[in-house]
């Protein structure tokens, strides 16, 4: 039996959070385990002491009379108690105003008021009623660069958590049901960050974008040449999900003709997802499994490389009370949250088309259906805190970054936090899974073979996109491809061959190129 | 005339009477500034009045704590926004107070000792302990207020209690050593 489980159970027991059945069972355990009973007594004393500690805490000075008056005045206004007009005059004025407004702006009123309605048992809490929503018909409401999802009233999304954010005030409107009083927690977690950032709106799908000031970066679409984004400006991002394999076919076809694809034609994020990495599937009842690994970046040893992966349940498995069909999740949304105390900048390892104008971000799909058995891999290159700013280029959009410690900075020990929100077809609510990476430095050599394969494809695709002609990149791609193939597998074996062909095409080499010393020979 | 209106009983008065001091303590635990805590609590009550007008708030305590929490975090963030990177202190952890003979004498009182030790816990753990053992909220309610899952609440509470237990033990050992010197 695991001690940590007992510890958790013990706390829940003392807090009265165990069910009657579990409580009875735990009490039997306590009777038969004196050590556990002693721990219970110890913890109970601590909990009791805490109660006393809080009770004896010095009071915070109460609200002054002026503040109380201000609150009561607002309460009266909100309740309609304080008016300077007679009720009749007020009624007439309101009726006249309503007639004009309804006749003229009925369609707009309908749009603007819809999120405030009570329907389907949802109760909306409007934090600031004066705020105006934008495009309430959209499934995802893009406001400036902020994000919100609406639930009730949307076909197929009636029971999803509903959270709306308003552009002028960045106020949040929440919808709640009696049995789900505070819905949309993952979204609220994000929205916390958008609040208070009115001067500098953030993009939740902020794939690394090219600053208009950064001409060298704009010249290439390869992530290898792209500037980083400052975590101070983008502490939380939603990353595009891709599971196509077109890029691999493009690469294979070109290499079959003895040449590399033209820069700008290979989507590295697609290339990454062309291989089968053998990720473990979800546990019974779950539709998706996720993972996060962070290692030293193979192409820059002072940086880190984070890999996020998603694995869909196989068709026929049970998930969320239903049998998985062709689609494991109706939609999935992956967010990566950086601990600003540990990471200062990042760039997405994938395509980013040069911005048409300053501030326009590429719209890559961030919420897509996830097929049964799908495997999705996302890589991000991270710059740890402490690396001098002169050693990497940062694309800045707004004000210069200032330190803005978020909640995650206080959790301590975490580098990045990966959250996947998804919805199982037929399920009434969205589900969330999350995983964090610790702040330890894990050498690249200790990475799993599948991580190395992903890194090999990143170097390969990045070098193609950047039109790199120096041997160092291609040798690195080959080396990583071999390193990632030690665990065998048909697809794994294909990678060294591909890398060697690409190197040959890039460097004008003809014939076979010797693999690195000690490398495993690819299987036929 | 206005005076008489102000003296009228309003539901918010009951809410304020019930939640003012608990909210002030909770918010002060986040912002560590009584004046800012009063600002935040005042704004929370105002939002409660304006936001809940014409609507039924089934859980006013959770609503108020959550709103106050968001406002407190915003307030703390705004304050921190003004600190440039290069002016950051080397560590965000609160400096542990050096034990003094007087401090050790006080530490013999359990409740006081816990109050002394609590600021050394990570902010999130302090907050969760406060919500559980001061406000008396269930895991479900705490999860709603803090944006966590219920199982996470249990985990963090357990972690906080164990950490605190260890700190009490270490502190006792230090006190004993101090006493023998």
């Amino acid at each position: 039996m695991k001690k940590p489980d007992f510890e958790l159970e013990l706390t829940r027991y003392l807090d009265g959070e165990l069910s009657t059945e579990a409580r009875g069972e735990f009490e039997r355990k306590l009777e038969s385990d004196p050590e556990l009973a002693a721990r219970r007594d110890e913890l109970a004393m601590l909990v009791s002491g805490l109660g006393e500690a809080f009770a004896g805490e010095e009071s915070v000075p109460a609200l002054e009379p002026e503040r109380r008056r201000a609150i009561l005045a607002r309460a009266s206004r909100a309740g309609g108690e304080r008016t300077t007009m007679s009720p009749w005059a007020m009624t007439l004025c309101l009726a006249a105003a309503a007639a004009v407004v309804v006749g003229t702006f009925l369609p707009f009123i309908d749009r603007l008021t819809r999120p405030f309605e009570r329907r389907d048992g949802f109760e909306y809490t409007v934090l600031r009623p004066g705020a105006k929503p934008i495009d309430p018909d959209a499934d995802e409401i893009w406001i400036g660069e902020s994000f919100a999802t609406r639930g009730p009233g949307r076909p197929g999304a009636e029971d999803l958590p509903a959270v709306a954010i308003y552009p002028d005030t960045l106020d949040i409107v929440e919808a709640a049901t009696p049995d789900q009083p505070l819905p949309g927690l993952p979204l609220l977690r994000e929205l916390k960050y958008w609040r208070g950032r009115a001067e500098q709106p953030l993009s939740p799908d902020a794939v690394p974008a090219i600053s208009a000031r950064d001409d060298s970066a704009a010249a290439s679409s390869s992530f290898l040449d792209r500037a980083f984004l400052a975590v101070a400006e983008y502490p939380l991002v939603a990353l595009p999900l891709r599971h196509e394999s077109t890029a691999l076919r493009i690469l294979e076809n070109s290499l079959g003709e003895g040449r590399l694809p033209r820069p700008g034609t290979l989507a590295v994020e697609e290339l990454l997802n062309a291989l089968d990495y053998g990720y473990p599937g979800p546990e019974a009842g779950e539709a998706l499994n996720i993972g996060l690994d962070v290692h030293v970046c193979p192409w820059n040893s002072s940086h880190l490389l984070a890999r996020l992966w998603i694995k869909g349940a196989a068709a026929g498995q049970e998930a969320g009370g239903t049998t998985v069909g062709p689609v494991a999740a109706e939609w999935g949304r992956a967010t990566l949250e950086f601990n600003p105390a540990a990471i200062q900048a990042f760039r997405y390892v994938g395509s980013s088309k040069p911005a048409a104008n300053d501030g326009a971000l590429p719209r890559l799909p961030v919420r897509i259906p996830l097929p049964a058995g799908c495997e999705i891999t996302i890589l991000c290159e991270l710059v740890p805190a402490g690396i001098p700013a002169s050693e990497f280029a940062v694309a800045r959009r707004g004000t210069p970054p200032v330190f803005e410690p978020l909640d995650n900075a206080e959790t301590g020990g975490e580098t990045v936090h990966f959250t996947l929100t998804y919805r199982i077809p037929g399920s009434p609510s969205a589900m969330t899974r999350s995983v964090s990476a610790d702040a330890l430095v894990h050498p690249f050599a200790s990475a799993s073979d599948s991580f190395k394969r992903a890194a090999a494809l990143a170097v390969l695709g990045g070098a193609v996109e950047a039109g790199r002609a120096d041997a160092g990149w291609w040798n690195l791609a080959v080396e990583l491809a071999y390193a990632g193939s030690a665990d065998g597998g048909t697809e794994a074996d294909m990678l060294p061959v591909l890398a060697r062909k690409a190197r040959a095409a890039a460097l004008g080499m003809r014939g076979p190129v010797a693999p690195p010393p000690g490398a495993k020979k690819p299987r036929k | 005339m206005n005076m008489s209106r102000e003296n009228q009983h309003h539901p918010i008065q009951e809410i304020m009477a019930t939640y003012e001091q608990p909210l002030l303590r909770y918010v002060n635990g986040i912002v560590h500034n009584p004046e800012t805590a009063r600002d935040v609590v005042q704004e929370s009550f105002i939002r409660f009045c304006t936001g809940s007008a014409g609507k039924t708030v089934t859980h006013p305590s959770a609503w108020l704590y959550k709103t106050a929490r968001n406002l407190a975090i915003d307030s703390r963030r705004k304050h921190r926004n003004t600190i440039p990177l290069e002016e950051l202190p080397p560590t965000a952890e609160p400096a542990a107070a050096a034990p003094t003979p007087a401090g050790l004498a006080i530490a013999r009182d359990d409740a006081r000792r816990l109050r002394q030790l609590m600021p050394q816990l990570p902010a999130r753990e302090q907050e969760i302990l406060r919500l559980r053992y001061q406000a008396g909220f269930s895991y479900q309610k705490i999860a709603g207020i803090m944006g966590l899952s219920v199982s996470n609440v249990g985990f963090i509470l357990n972690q906080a209690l164990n950490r605190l237990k260890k700190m009490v033990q270490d502190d006792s050992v230090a006190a004993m050593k101090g006493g023998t010197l």
Side-chain angles (χ1 to χ4, degrees):
Chain A
M1 282 181 285
K2 292 176 186 171
K3 195 177 167 185
D5 290 343
F6 266 179
E7 289 288 341
L8 282 175
E9 236 176 321
L10 194 52
T11 311
R12 288 198 189 105
Y13 170 76
L14 287 171
D15 285 339
E17 292 280 340
L18 288 181
S19 66
T20 316
E21 195 183 329
R23 190 176 179 82
E25 197 180 320
F26 192 72
E27 276 169 355
R28 282 192 291 281
K29 268 184 216 162
L30 281 169
E31 281 168 15
S32 63
D33 186 347
E35 196 194 330
L36 187 63
R39 286 218 304 274
R40 183 257 328 260
D41 295 343
E42 207 176 35
L43 205 59
M45 275 178 65
L46 181 67
V47 165
S48 152
L50 268 174
E52 285 172 32
F54 282 126
E57 203 176 41
E58 205 173 310
S59 297
V60 179
L63 297 179
E64 301 90 331
E66 299 77 37
R67 291 181 189 270
R68 290 172 178 280
R69 276 199 289 276
I71 295 166
L72 288 172
R74 289 292 288 273
S76 298
R77 274 205 299 274
E81 285 180 21
R82 186 171 292 182
T83 62
T84 51
M85 284 188 195
S86 73
W88 282 107
M90 177 61 83
T91 308
L92 282 172
C93 284
L94 285 176
V100 171
V101 170
V102 168
T104 315
F105 301 111
L106 184 58
F108 302 103
I109 288 172
D110 179 49
R111 279 164 55 89
L112 294 179
T113 55
R114 209 173 305 160
F116 300 95
E117 288 176 5
R118 280 187 197 189
R119 65 166 89 164
D120 302 333
F122 280 77
E123 173 194 326
Y124 290 91
T125 302
V126 184
L127 297 183
R128 192 176 299 184
K132 299 286 188 294
I134 281 186
D135 193 12
D137 288 325
D139 195 12
E140 288 184 355
I141 304 174
W142 296 93
I143 299 167
E145 291 183 333
S146 297
F147 170 83
T149 296
R150 289 186 59 230
R154 295 294 310 152
E158 287 79 2
D159 299 319
L160 286 181
V163 180
I165 190 165
Y166 290 83
D168 50 352
T169 59
L170 290 185
D171 271 350
I172 300 169
V173 174
E174 301 160 30
T177 56
D179 59 343
Q180 195 185 7
L182 294 167
L185 295 180
L187 291 173
L188 283 177
R189 185 176 164 81
E190 293 170 35
L191 292 173
K192 275 194 315 190
Y193 299 114
W194 316 141
R195 287 176 61 80
R197 284 176 165 267
E199 323 78 49
Q200 186 196 322
L202 294 179
S203 169
D205 66 337
V207 293
I210 293 157
S211 164
R213 292 183 301 179
D214 189 349
D215 296 331
S216 62
S220 168
S221 64
S222 170
F223 79 92
L224 289 172
D225 293 328
R226 198 183 312 141
F228 289 83
L229 289 181
V231 166
E233 290 184 79
Y234 298 91
L236 179 74
V237 292
L239 299 163
L241 297 172
R242 286 280 173 93
H243 49 75
E244 299 92 339
S245 55
T246 318
L248 182 65
R249 287 198 292 276
I250 293 172
L251 182 61
E252 284 176 328
N253 290 344
S254 299
L255 292 178
E257 294 167 10
R259 60 175 179 82
L260 288 175
R262 277 186 301 108
T265 56
L266 207 60
V268 179
E269 71 276 19
E270 281 186 16
L271 194 60
L272 289 177
N273 284 295
L275 291 192
D276 179 7
Y277 294 100
Y279 298 134
E283 289 176 6
E286 298 273 355
L288 298 166
N289 192 18
I290 63 168
L292 171 65
D293 319 277
V294 180
H295 287 274
V296 170
C297 182
W299 56 84
N300 187 332
S301 59
S302 61
H303 293 182
L304 300 171
L305 187 64
R307 176 183 66 162
L308 298 71
W309 59 261
I310 299 166
K311 174 78 177 183
Q317 276 188 2
E318 188 274 327
T322 59
T323 304
V324 176
V327 174
E330 273 185 349
W331 55 259
R333 186 163 184 273
T335 55
L336 195 59
E337 185 178 354
F338 303 96
N339 179 351
I343 302 296
Q344 57 176 319
F346 70 98
R347 63 183 174 188
Y348 169 70
V349 175
S351 300
S352 175
K353 305 236 175 331
N357 53 60
D358 188 25
L361 285 167
R363 283 277 184 251
L364 295 180
V366 292
R367 264 174 54 160
I368 62 163
L370 303 176
C374 68
E375 275 194 357
I376 296 179
T377 301
I378 301 170
L379 292 181
C380 275
E381 186 179 345
L382 316 176
V383 182
I387 302 285
S390 56
E391 291 185 12
F392 60 97
V394 176
R396 291 190 177 121
R397 295 190 163 279
T399 51
V402 290
F403 184 76
E404 188 178 36
L406 303 171
D407 280 359
N408 55 1
E410 290 162 1
T411 59
E414 288 181 8
T415 316
V416 286
H417 186 78
F418 168 37
T419 302
L420 180 73
T421 311
Y422 64 96
R423 182 169 141 152
I424 298 174
S427 170
S429 55
M431 304 183 79
T432 297
R433 295 206 59 177
S434 59
V435 61
S436 296
D438 60 38
L440 300 174
V441 175
H442 300 279
F444 184 76
S446 68
S448 65
D449 283 359
S450 65
F451 189 103
K452 288 170 183 165
R453 288 202 287 279
L457 283 173
V459 172
L460 187 57
V464 169
E465 286 294 278
R468 294 282 172 102
D470 53 310
W473 282 103
W474 299 106
N475 287 335
L476 178 63
V478 172
E479 200 177 308
L480 291 173
Y482 274 97
S485 303
D487 63 357
T490 312
E491 287 193 315
D493 288 346
M494 180 195 82
L495 187 56
V497 177
L498 204 66
R500 287 170 58 193
K501 279 185 179 173
R503 179 170 64 177
L507 305 179
M509 296 177 181
R510 297 285 172 208
V513 178
K520 185 172 113 357
K521 191 177 176 185
R523 285 195 302 218
K524 297 290 178 191
Chain B
M1 185 114 175
N2 280 346
M3 285 292 286
S4 68
R5 274 206 183 100
E6 276 164 16
N7 290 336
Q8 281 174 357
H9 182 75
H10 194 285
I12 189 65
Q13 285 174 303
E14 263 177 42
I15 299 274
M16 282 165 68
T18 310
Y19 296 113
E20 180 184 330
Q21 193 51 232
L23 269 179
L24 280 168
R25 286 185 184 187
Y26 168 63
V27 173
N28 195 41
I30 297 174
V31 298
H32 305 293
N33 182 326
E35 186 59 26
T36 309
R38 284 200 291 271
D39 286 344
V40 165
V41 171
Q42 180 191 352
E43 182 60 22
S44 304
F45 283 133
I46 286 176
R47 288 191 182 202
F48 184 83
C49 299
T50 54
S52 64
K55 295 175 177 62
T56 310
V57 175
T58 46
H59 302 289
S61 57
W63 197 101
L64 279 167
Y65 270 82
K66 186 164 159 281
T67 305
R69 181 176 195 267
N70 285 342
L71 290 168
I73 290 171
D74 280 355
S75 160
R76 194 177 57 182
R77 187 173 299 141
K78 271 179 200 160
H79 175 68
R80 290 187 184 175
N81 263 350
T82 59
I83 306 172
L85 185 58
E86 53 274 20
E87 289 176 23
L88 264 182
T91 170
E93 287 291 316
T100 61
L104 293 173
I106 293 167
R108 293 198 181 94
D109 179 330
D110 283 351
R112 279 191 193 176
R113 186 159 53 155
L114 285 174
R115 276 200 298 276
Q116 279 182 330
L117 294 173
M118 224 151 8
Q120 293 174 35
L121 288 174
R124 189 166 69 160
E125 291 180 9
Q126 287 181 50
E127 187 183 353
I128 210 161
L129 286 176
R130 200 170 275 279
L131 287 170
R132 178 70 195 99
Y133 302 113
Q134 186 182 41
F137 287 145
S138 66
Y139 286 13
Q140 175 84 38
K141 237 177 191 178
I142 296 172
I145 292 166
M146 294 186 69
L148 299 166
S149 67
V150 174
S151 56
N152 252 341
V153 169
F155 180 79
I156 298 166
L157 259 175
N158 178 263
Q159 202 176 33
L161 287 172
N162 279 324
R163 206 191 298 263
L164 199 57
K165 195 168 76 179
K166 172 89 171 46
M167 283 158 62
V168 169
Q169 282 163 354
D170 291 351
D171 193 54
S172 300
V173 171
M176 283 173 68
K177 281 183 184 167
T180 54
L181 284 173

